[in-house]
Amino acid sequence: MVRSGEEPKPAGRATDGTGPARLRERFLQGEQVDAGVRTSILNSWQRCRSLGLSPDTSDLPYREDFDPGGRIVRAAVPVLDRLQDAFSGSQVNISVADANGTVLLRRFGDPAMARSLPAIQRVPGFVFSEQVAGTNGIGLALAERQLIRVYGAEHFAERSQGSACVAMPVRDPLSGRIEGVLCFGYPRGFEQPALSAAIRRAAENIERRLLGQSSAHERALLRTYLATGGEGGLHHGVALDALADVVHPRDQAILREKAAELISRGQRAAVEVALPDGRRVTLVSRPMASASGVRGFAIEAVLPGTAVGEALVLPHQAEELPDLAAFSTAPRLARSPITLPSGHLAAAFGSTVAPGGDRGSTEAGGTVPADGGRGGDRGPTGIDGTATADGGRGTTDGGRSATDDGRGPVGGGGAADDRAGSPFPARGLVMVGEPHVGAYALAARRRLELLSEASARIGTTLDVRRTAEELAETAVPRLADFVTIDLPDAVLRGEESADPLADLRRTVLHGVREGLPFTPPGKRIDFGPTAPQLRCLTRGEAVLEPDLKAAAGWLAQDPEHTARLLDHVHSLIAVPLLARGVVLGIASFYRTGSSFGDDDRSLAQELATRAALSIDNARRYTHERTMVLALQRRLLPHGLPDQDAVEVAHRYLPAESDVGGDWYDVIPLSGARIGLLVGDVVGHGMLSAATMGRLRTAARSFAELDFSPDEVLTHLDNLVGRLDREDPDGKGAGVIGATCLYAVYDPTAQRCLMARAGHPPPALVHPDGTVSYPDLPAGPPLGLGGLPFDAVEIDVPEGSQLVLYTDGLIEDRHRDVDVVLEQLRVALAHPERAPEDTCQAVLDTVAPAHPHDDIALLVARVHALDPGRIAAWELPADPALVGEVRASALRRLSDWGLDETAFAAELILSELITNAVRHGTGPIRVRLLYGRTLICEVSDASNTAPHLRRAASTDEGGRGLFLVAQLSQSWGTRYLPEGKVIWAECGLDAA
């Protein structure tokens, strides 16, 4: 079992503390230690090493100027005296240090220890802070601010390897500030589970004494309560935490919070409180006044399952401390009385163990001495300035009884109540206090809690509207009943508003109920010149209207509307939303019943200020994201080219958090072919979008040069390497790691040649509905350099769909890639869908709901060129055959009805075939493609290409390509694995 506030012990670690010894040695030798050592210990070791501490150092700083009579010492001395008595005869040593780690007090279970231990372990004044002593109980408790244990080799210093300790910070209950540390040290083989409970009880006793030094009024009320015995004989009852087995500490905290609220109301009442486990406890509030005139209230709890007068019987328990009985190895001698922990039967009656076994009475059952110092042992707890029953557990100072003569308890709590199985009422005192102190403290605590909650709840997203909603949700109902937030349209778009009052729009309306006549969200808001909202903008601070019925300026802005609101709201705070000198809007807080006060105005101002910073961050992010998205979309294709090879649909979906560098492109190529390109630039933001534009432009240029896919990727790879080298300081967005997939589809052969550079493979949807992912070599990402790219050619039957996408579609931190690819396969298994419908289906079923990366999607349904529109001839390199081919081509053009285009085509073919015969090598192939245009192609086995030049008037040749360029829309050269193709494209306008 792991107690609250403690770390679990690592599995397999020896209880004598030797388990981490080997790991400690590895750590001291500089090796990495990731497991087997508790996180708090490992963190402490790392801090010690960073401070340059040596584990062999035996000397510690000594302070002669420590205060031996300070506040923590006065509170701790009686507690340590009783602890020393409880640990009598054992090897346990007890110490108290201040908030700086300086030991102020020491006690020993065996007095002989003081003679055998070194000075640093027996003399007060030595400093055990982690900064100078390394990992140890006192230093680590101060660093971790909670109960800690340190075993043997977990200590940083060699001198402490044979010991263990448990330490607990001691806090001022009012301020919450750590005043010191209580530490139990013992041999590492002495470990006992009860030590944690014992040190907690002892620390709580010290904290109660600290509080008792500074709350005289509450002590006076508590004295009065204890002296009168409460209602129904509650002097036989118990303090609430004395029944820890019946009331869980978590439930005690709930009851104390409700008790503080009851005290702040200042009324006699009985309230039923529901606990998390379903039980219900009744809190009874009753007024009381001390002899000195202090007026207050006592809150009592009636435990569940029993009537008010019904008794609760606890089993018999031994006189000794149950958890500490085994610690004492020597015979018990007559000694001073000790305080019994909560839950002990004797402690329940407020008794003490007196010398010789006789029971003496305590202040819990009788009249409280008025010395103010001795009675401080039971001070109240809680930051709300009220006293709790923790202090009424029957502790004594130095063994004094409740009466000066020690004759026994006052009020009937004598030995008769000491019998085994003695019953007592199932009631407990929860808290006493003054109403006005409780009210102020309760309100202050709730304001602090609200501000703490606001820090966690407001600004969780970078969305302007959602951030405004978080402000409203935080304020309702703990500050206001209704909240409206009005923001300019420009702010919602991510811009600064030139005139905030001119374009205010109701953005958020949130309240405890619906149906009130507030202006609904989405409507324009116009505030009159006298409205509090306008005044708050003018002043730059919150404006409070305690009573709206008397607020002339608010009433005058819209009498009809405000009259309807007055039936529901009573008070208003208007707060400007200002951040970094920018006016972002107005927040209005309304209450229906009670009025706002100055403290509420300050709280509303603080909430609005925090929210305004978050809204401004969201506005700036929205502005930047809008610009990046606009740039990204501007750099992507605005339209698709006219062509017959494929039917294309595309989508671009930016990431929710930021815009990246994904792109796609569709590139018409020679020979009626089409290029399909998808890429992804690493990173996000403006630089990634700009880099994407550069890569897309370069990729298109390389593709239009009729390079094969693997050559295009090689050129892009070299370009990415140059781009990164051009940024010697490394301050730009690195491009290395960009990915790309390039596919070229030929409708005349119904084949596709593709290559990829670290990009996800495409999906191929066959006409029969089967979906496959072609086995395409992955290739390295762009920019690595020196590695080849391989192109693969596959058959793509007519009617098939090629689906290209970026990794944002399939890679997600919450999903497995293989599972997503299977989902994509299912979504694509509908060949009858149009590409547009396929795109939408993929985004609806496969894309993540909240994408963390951009998604580019390209779907292309392929078509085949009608074989009847393809004419091809092959001839040897013989000039005599040029006329025959030309004549055959004219006949085919006539058959196609292209007589008007025949003249230009004839000249182009004649020139291209003649050049191939003269300058190339056979065989020579001629092809005509009739689509949207007429394409004339002449290929040969030579790799030399003709060049267009301006012929001089005396040159006999050099004018052929000039004529080709003039007669065609475009022309060029395409290289083959063996040879080249010279092509020219003619328009069909005249056809």
Side-chain angles (χ1 to χ4, degrees):
M1 181 179 71
V2 179
R3 299 177 182 271
S4 175
E6 297 183 61
E7 289 186 278
K9 299 178 182 179
R13 181 174 51 76
T15 56
D16 62 357
T18 61
R22 186 174 61 86
L23 296 174
R24 176 180 175 273
E25 293 304 318
R26 287 176 50 195
F27 177 85
L28 294 177
Q29 293 172 8
E31 298 182 25
Q32 186 72 20
V33 176
D34 296 324
V37 181
R38 291 181 292 157
T39 303
S40 60
I41 299 296
L42 183 57
N43 291 341
S44 178
W45 287 356
Q46 292 170 344
R47 290 193 295 267
C48 294
R49 183 163 62 184
S50 65
L51 291 169
L53 299 181
S54 171
D56 299 322
T57 302
S58 58
D59 295 329
L60 292 178
Y62 179 80
R63 294 187 57 184
E64 297 181 349
D65 59 343
F66 73 93
D67 187 0
R71 188 164 176 255
I72 184 70
V73 173
R74 296 197 308 272
V77 164
V79 179
L80 261 65
D81 289 340
R82 292 191 290 273
L83 286 171
Q84 183 179 17
D85 188 70
F87 289 115
S88 176
S90 71
Q91 294 296 306
V92 176
N93 67 84
I94 311 151
S95 59
V96 171
D98 63 15
N100 297 317
T102 303
V103 175
L104 307 177
L105 294 171
R106 283 199 179 275
R107 296 288 190 275
F108 304 96
D110 184 356
M113 295 175 61
R115 295 188 296 271
S116 61
L117 293 175
I120 61 173
Q121 296 184 16
R122 60 183 172 84
V123 178
F126 286 95
V127 181
F128 281 79
S129 64
E130 188 184 71
Q131 291 84 349
V132 295
T135 306
N136 70 93
I138 293 174
L140 193 54
L142 289 173
E144 296 288 332
R145 306 178 67 84
Q146 63 178 346
L147 174 69
I148 62 96
R149 291 173 178 267
V150 183
Y151 306 86
E154 291 181 334
H155 288 88
F156 188 77
E158 294 288 349
R159 63 174 179 272
S160 303
Q161 301 299 293
S163 62
C165 62
V166 57
M168 178 85 178
V170 177
R171 289 178 168 83
D172 185 327
L174 286 176
S175 67
R177 183 180 62 250
I178 292 179
E179 293 287 336
V181 176
L182 175 64
C183 182
F184 293 167
Y186 46 88
R188 66 187 184 190
F190 183 74
E191 175 63 21
Q192 297 289 338
L195 285 174
S196 293
I199 199 169
R200 286 183 186 276
R201 297 294 183 189
E204 290 172 1
N205 281 336
I206 297 175
E207 291 175 349
R208 283 192 293 272
R209 292 183 60 83
L210 284 172
L211 187 61
Q213 297 174 8
S214 56
S215 55
H217 279 203
E218 285 74 15
R219 289 204 311 276
L221 291 174
L222 185 58
R223 291 192 194 104
T224 302
Y225 177 86
L226 297 174
T228 59
E231 294 182 344
L234 269 186
H235 59 277
H236 292 299
V238 296
L240 181 63
D241 66 346
L243 297 176
D245 294 336
V246 180
V247 183
H248 191 277
R250 172 201 61 207
D251 300 334
Q252 295 181 31
I254 296 174
L255 295 177
R256 288 183 179 124
E257 182 176 355
K258 189 64 178 179
E261 183 178 342
L262 289 175
I263 291 175
S264 68
R265 293 179 181 175
Q267 297 176 349
R268 180 188 290 269
V271 177
E272 195 174 57
V273 180
L275 300 179
D277 59 4
R279 295 187 300 167
R280 308 184 78 84
V281 174
T282 301
L283 294 182
V284 180
S285 170
R286 65 184 184 88
M288 55 186 299
S290 70
S292 59
V294 178
R295 296 184 179 274
F297 282 78
I299 310 298
E300 302 160 351
V302 180
L303 300 183
T306 55
V308 173
E310 187 177 347
L312 176 68
V313 180
L314 292 183
H316 178 71
Q317 301 180 43
E319 292 182 359
E320 295 83 21
L321 291 169
D323 293 332
L324 306 180
F327 295 166
S328 178
T329 57
R332 289 194 174 272
L333 304 176
R335 52 187 182 269
S336 301
I338 60 175
T339 301
L340 299 179
S342 293
H344 193 278
L345 184 63
F349 289 98
S351 302
T352 59
V353 180
D358 296 331
R359 291 189 179 275
S361 64
T362 68
E363 298 162 358
T367 304
V368 181
D371 55 8
R374 303 281 185 179
D377 203 23
R378 81 183 56 71
T381 65
I383 65 170
D384 46 23
T386 55
T388 70
D390 299 354
R393 282 188 279 180
T395 59
T396 63
D397 296 329
R400 291 189 57 186
S401 66
T403 59
D404 291 337
D405 56 8
R407 289 176 296 177
V410 177
D417 296 323
D418 181 45
R419 298 183 300 272
S422 176
F424 57 89
R427 276 187 159 197
L429 173 65
V430 181
M431 191 175 290
V432 296
E434 297 176 89
H436 68 279
V437 174
Y440 289 148
L442 184 63
R445 183 174 64 191
R446 288 182 174 175
R447 284 195 293 270
L448 288 174
E449 290 174 351
L450 182 58
L451 289 175
S452 176
E453 182 180 337
S455 299
R457 291 187 60 181
I458 300 176
T460 60
T461 68
L462 288 172
D463 180 81
V464 173
R465 192 181 305 274
R466 179 57 194 152
T467 304
E469 291 173 351
E470 290 170 345
L471 168 60
E473 292 168 358
T474 302
V476 175
R478 299 172 65 179
L479 173 62
D481 297 315
F482 297 92
V483 174
T484 63
I485 299 178
D486 308 311
L487 304 178
D489 286 333
V491 172
L492 293 172
R493 296 191 303 267
E495 305 169 1
E496 293 186 15
S497 178
D499 187 2
L501 290 177
D503 62 345
L504 276 178
R505 190 173 299 276
R506 177 60 45 85
T507 305
V508 175
L509 170 59
H510 185 69
V512 294
R513 64 181 185 273
E514 299 179 353
L516 269 66
F518 286 102
T519 302
K523 298 292 185 180
R524 292 291 300 272
I525 298 293
D526 294 317
F527 291 111
T530 60
Q533 286 83 355
L534 183 62
R535 283 186 284 138
C536 80
L537 281 183
T538 304
R539 299 180 184 177
E541 60 183 18
V543 172
L544 169 65
E545 292 289 357
D547 186 359
L548 286 175
K549 294 181 178 179
W554 185 76
L555 295 171
Q557 61 173 334
D558 188 349
E560 181 179 354
H561 177 66
T562 54
R564 294 197 305 270
L565 275 179
L566 279 177
D567 295 334
H568 306 280
V569 297
H570 174 70
S571 187
L572 164 69
I573 299 176
V575 189
L577 297 174
L578 302 173
R580 304 180 182 97
V582 178
V583 177
L584 301 172
I586 301 170
S588 301
F589 302 84
Y590 295 89
R591 276 185 183 172
T592 57
S594 60
S595 297
F596 286 114
D598 289 332
D599 289 341
D600 298 316
R601 175 172 55 185
S602 300
L603 179 57
Q605 180 76 66
E606 179 65 23
L607 285 176
T609 299
R610 297 187 180 195
L613 288 173
S614 297
I615 291 175
D616 190 49
N617 290 338
R619 179 193 65 82
R620 290 167 177 257
Y621 168 78
T622 301
H623 179 65
E624 180 177 347
R625 186 175 187 274
T626 301
M627 290 193 302
V628 174
L629 187 56
L631 175 62
Q632 173 85 344
R633 295 193 182 279
R634 183 66 180 173
L635 294 175
L636 290 174
H638 292 171
L640 298 178
D642 294 332
Q643 44 79 38
D644 296 322
V646 293
E647 179 186 353
V648 179
H650 55 86
R651 293 289 190 277
Y652 170 74
L653 185 65
E656 278 194 351
S657 58
D658 207 349
V659 179
D662 292 13
W663 90 89
Y664 60 88
D665 208 345
V666 179
I667 309 170
L669 300 175
S670 65
R673 298 171 306 138
I674 198 75
L676 304 174
L677 189 66
V678 170
D680 183 4
V681 175
V682 294
H684 297 84
M686 185 73 73
L687 290 176
S688 293
T691 303
M692 177 274 291
R694 300 174 70 179
L695 288 187
R696 175 179 170 254
T697 301
R700 189 179 185 92
S701 299
F702 295 144
E704 289 178 344
L705 290 175
D706 272 325
F707 291 141
S708 63
D710 54 321
E711 290 178 310
V712 169
L713 295 183
T714 300
H715 287 295
L716 284 178
D717 181 60
N718 295 333
L719 173 64
V720 168
R722 288 197 301 271
L723 291 178
D724 275 325
R725 290 192 297 271
E726 289 174 1
D727 187 18
D729 297 331
K731 297 180 179 179
V735 190
I736 291 180
T739 65
C740 185
L741 170 64
Y742 181 39
V744 177
Y745 172 67
D746 186 351
T748 64
Q750 300 177 44
R751 295 181 66 81
C752 185
L753 184 66
M754 59 183 71
R756 61 182 177 131
H759 202 83
L764 176 60
V765 184
H766 295 270
D768 60 358
T770 59
V771 180
S772 63
Y773 297 99
D775 187 11
L776 186 63
L782 299 177
L784 296 183
L787 298 174
F789 298 95
D790 296 324
V792 172
E793 190 172 29
I794 61 174
D795 291 322
V796 183
E798 182 177 13
S800 301
Q801 289 186 355
L802 276 172
V803 181
L804 285 67
Y805 50 88
T806 55
D807 57 3
L809 177 67
I810 61 172
E811 293 183 5
D812 184 77
R813 66 188 69 176
H814 306 297
R815 303 187 299 172
D816 183 80
V817 173
D818 293 334
V819 174
V820 179
L821 287 175
E822 186 59 32
Q823 293 176 350
L824 180 59
R825 187 192 303 273
V826 173
L828 294 176
H830 298 277
E832 73 282 357
R833 285 181 181 153
E836 284 287 344
D837 297 333
T838 301
C839 278
Q840 194 59 47
V842 169
L843 292 184
D844 291 341
T845 60
V846 181
H850 304 283
H852 296 282
D853 195 7
D854 291 16
I855 297 175
L857 178 63
L858 192 64
V859 178
R861 170 173 287 164
V862 302
H863 300 293
L865 188 60
D866 185 357
R869 294 195 168 202
I870 303 175
W873 300 269
E874 183 173 335
L875 66 155
D878 184 357
L881 299 177
V882 174
E884 295 180 9
V885 175
R886 187 169 60 239
S888 298
L890 289 176
R891 287 193 297 270
R892 182 56 63 92
L893 291 177
S894 178
D895 293 340
W896 288 341
L898 301 180
D899 297 322
E900 297 296 330
T901 312
F903 176 74
E906 181 182 9
L907 290 178
I908 291 174
L909 284 175
S910 179
E911 180 60 33
L912 295 182
I913 296 173
T914 301
N915 282 343
V917 170
R918 289 182 177 180
H919 307 290
T921 58
I924 297 172
R925 295 179 178 88
V926 179
R927 189 171 68 161
L928 295 179
L929 304 177
Y930 174 28
R932 290 178 177 266
T933 60
L934 177 65
I935 301 173
C936 304
E937 294 184 347
V938 176
S939 62
D940 63 73
S942 172
N943 289 324
T944 60
H947 297 281
L948 180 65
R949 65 185 180 88
R950 182 179 298 276
S953 57
T954 58
D955 290 342
E956 294 184 1
R959 296 176 177 82
L961 285 181
F962 179 77
L963 290 175
V964 171
Q966 295 299 312
L967 294 172
S968 63
Q969 292 181 346
S970 59
W971 74 280
T973 303
R974 179 171 75 249
Y975 289 94
L976 304 175
E978 294 182 358
K980 64 179 180 301
V981 176
I982 309 296
W983 59 270
E985 187 174 337
C986 299
L988 303 180
D989 297 338

